[in-house]
Amino acid sequence: MKKTVLFLVCLFTVGIAFADNHWVGTWGTAPQLVESHNNPPSPGLGNNSLRQIVQVSIGGEKVRLKLTNEFSSGATEIKAVELALAKTAGSSAEIDETSTVSLTFGGKAGVTMPAKGTAVSDPVGFKIGARQNVAITIHYGSASSTSVSGHPGSRTTSYLKAGNTNDFSDAVKTDHWYTIQTLEVEAPETAGAVAILGNSITDGRGSTTNQQNRWADVLSRRLLENEPTKQVGVLNMGIGGNCVLGGGLGPAAVNRYQRDLFGQEGVKWIILFEAVNDLGGSRNGVQTAKSIIGVYKQIIREAHQKGIYVFGATITPFKGNNYYSVDHENGRSTLNKWIRTTKMLDGVIDFDKAVRNPEDTIAMQSQFLFENDWLHLNAKGYETMGGCIDLDLFTKTDALAADDEEDEAYGEAVSRQWGRL
């Protein structure tokens, strides 16, 4: 009798943990209109097959996939999509064929996304482990290869083959992602995700193709290896060349944060680490920094209303790069000072301190340089960034920080000029 009662209690507990179908993002990327030089190579997407590899963060036994056509000027027809466990992190298209599952969309094998539209698959049983590689194979119908929604900075090889096929042995290779946006897992209520708003330093320029060694990947592995944080997913929302306020590549952060931060499932934490492109192209570094702070404040307020913790990451040095000037450095100093001292953030990640040269603190350590551009980091630099983050930030249970502050009004009025606040 005792065993029966215990069994029923266990079933009840599991039922509570998954009662509301708690979904958490385990992998994601920030989509944009793909630039012409990054469009799909011949034979193109239309009526052909594309296999793309992603490496998830947390595992699960039931998943769903979000596809995007947000920036495309015409409809994209998807005839079928399959998931399978990949044998590599992108260096080959090989899969464990026995693991293959077919996705459905409203019970149908395919879906047509209208221009500016998205699609989410039905949930499907598909067991994946933490940091496991997943192959997403899309069989396209009618689709453009010149007006494409995707993510150019995949740092991962994709495989394109003519026709409706699952044989990618001699496929055309391209180091970009197209159409895919988010992979989610059903998880216990205790699981959650951290969404990172960033630019190329978060996107991983300088990391190693098909080795998944961006600083966000380093953070993910550390979280998974740490018992109190092993259920924390990591969503890399970095876009190379992106700006907070306007200009740059992809939609500006002030316009995309609703989608890339609050539009993700299961987000409990946010990291804000974006500004260097704004500062590097600024005509007034301090004023630009104050405008960025105004946007940060708005994000913090909205996050706190949703019960989400927000951490600020200091901007890394760029002396030696053509972005550098005394004025631009003053802007970086202004923003970093606010990040370190404001009472609005729930925590600080001091990337600047971790990678700067102790003999010249406005420059990066030379051992971390990628292509000597004095802006982007190499794999060693990203290892240092991911390794400097205090994992206790992701076990916080104390009250959220303040929603405003009484110090200098850093940007709400100024930021209105960008048409967002």
Side-chain angles (χ1 to χ4, degrees), residues 228-290:
T229 58
K230 67 180 182 180
Q231 291 182 321
V232 178
V234 176
L235 299 172
N236 187 331
M237 295 292 120
I239 294 180
N242 197 236
C243 292
V244 174
L245 302 172
L249 300 178
V254 69
N255 297 319
R256 71 181 178 94
Y257 77 82
Q258 291 282 352
R259 179 197 70 188
D260 291 341
L261 301 180
F262 303 136
Q264 307 297 330
E265 293 289 343
V267 170
K268 295 184 178 181
W269 308 272
I270 286 170
I271 297 175
L272 301 177
F273 177 51
E274 184 163 9
V276 72
N277 294 319
D278 300 82
L279 295 170
S282 171
R283 295 181 180 180
N284 185 320
V286 171
Q287 196 64 68
T288 297
K290 290 180 178 180

Side-chain angles (χ1 to χ4, degrees), residues 34-68:
V34 177
E35 308 96 336
S36 59
H37 63 282
N38 289 324
N39 279 334
S42 180
L45 300 182
N47 299 304
N48 297 321
S49 299
L50 177 68
R51 177 166 291 169
Q52 303 174 93
I53 313 297
V54 303
Q55 189 171 93
V56 304
S57 49
I58 59 174
E61 297 190 1
K62 184 180 288 186
V63 304
R64 64 186 185 189
L65 176 69
K66 185 172 185 177
L67 305 176
T68 181

Side-chain angles (χ1 to χ4, degrees), residues 23-24 26-29 50 52 54 56 62-68 78 80-84 101-106 111 113 118-124 126 134-140 178-186:
W23 292 95
V24 177
T26 183
W27 170 87
T29 195
L50 177 68
Q52 303 174 93
V54 303
V56 304
K62 184 180 288 186
V63 304
R64 64 186 185 189
L65 176 69
K66 185 172 185 177
L67 305 176
T68 181
I78 306 295
V81 182
E82 295 107 27
L83 302 181
V101 297
S102 296
L103 299 185
T104 58
F105 300 83
V111 64
M113 293 182 288
T118 60
V120 181
S121 75
D122 302 322
V124 65
F126 180 69
V134 176
I136 304 169
T137 304
I138 301 176
H139 305 283
Y140 290 88
Y178 305 108
T179 310
I180 56 176
Q181 183 170 342
T182 313
L183 190 65
E184 301 164 353
V185 293
E186 191 177 37

Side-chain angles (χ1 to χ4, degrees), residues 181-396:
Q181 183 170 342
T182 313
L183 190 65
E184 301 164 353
V185 293
E186 191 177 37
E189 288 290 338
T190 51
V194 51
I196 306 166
L197 191 71
N199 48 40
S200 59
I201 297 175
T202 296
D203 201 24
R205 178 167 172 77
S207 63
T208 313
T209 299
N210 295 326
Q211 290 193 19
Q212 315 298 326
N213 54 7
R214 313 164 190 84
W215 71 260
D217 297 310
V218 177
L219 170 61
S220 174
R221 293 185 180 97
R222 291 183 62 222
L223 288 167
L224 292 167
E225 292 166 359
N226 182 48
E227 183 66 26
T229 58
K230 67 180 182 180
Q231 291 182 321
V232 178
V234 176
L235 299 172
N236 187 331
M237 295 292 120
I239 294 180
N242 197 236
C243 292
V244 174
L245 302 172
L249 300 178
V254 69
N255 297 319
R256 71 181 178 94
Y257 77 82
Q258 291 282 352
R259 179 197 70 188
D260 291 341
L261 301 180
F262 303 136
Q264 307 297 330
E265 293 289 343
V267 170
K268 295 184 178 181
W269 308 272
I270 286 170
I271 297 175
L272 301 177
F273 177 51
E274 184 163 9
V276 72
N277 294 319
D278 300 82
L279 295 170
S282 171
R283 295 181 180 180
N284 185 320
V286 171
Q287 196 64 68
T288 297
K290 290 180 178 180
S291 295
I292 291 166
I293 291 168
V295 175
Y296 274 20
K297 284 185 173 185
Q298 181 66 19
I299 295 173
I300 292 166
R301 293 188 192 105
E302 292 184 34
H304 285 171
Q305 289 172 3
K306 300 174 186 296
I308 299 172
Y309 290 103
V310 183
F311 310 134
T314 54
I315 307 304
T316 49
F318 51 85
K319 180 183 177 183
N321 186 268
N322 59 13
Y323 273 0
Y324 176 80
S325 72
V326 172
D327 177 72
H328 295 164
E329 176 59 28
N330 287 339
R332 187 179 77 94
S333 176
T334 297
L335 179 55
N336 282 352
K337 179 181 178 181
W338 180 83
I339 290 170
R340 290 181 174 118
T341 60
T342 181
K343 295 179 180 179
M344 291 185 69
L345 287 166
D346 300 287
V348 177
I349 299 169
D350 207 339
F351 286 149
D352 169 49
K353 185 177 180 180
V355 304
R356 69 191 183 193
N357 182 349
E359 305 300 324
D360 184 5
T361 57
I362 62 173
M364 195 182 300
Q365 293 184 48
S366 59
Q367 64 174 323
F368 298 146
L369 295 180
F370 172 67
E371 295 183 346
N372 290 320
D373 73 355
W374 295 95
L375 175 65
H376 297 98
L377 294 87
N378 56 25
K380 184 176 182 179
Y382 289 134
E383 182 74 29
T384 299
M385 289 178 66
C388 81
I389 301 170
D390 183 1
L391 299 187
D392 287 343
L393 290 172
F394 303 94
T395 61
K396 291 171 68 71

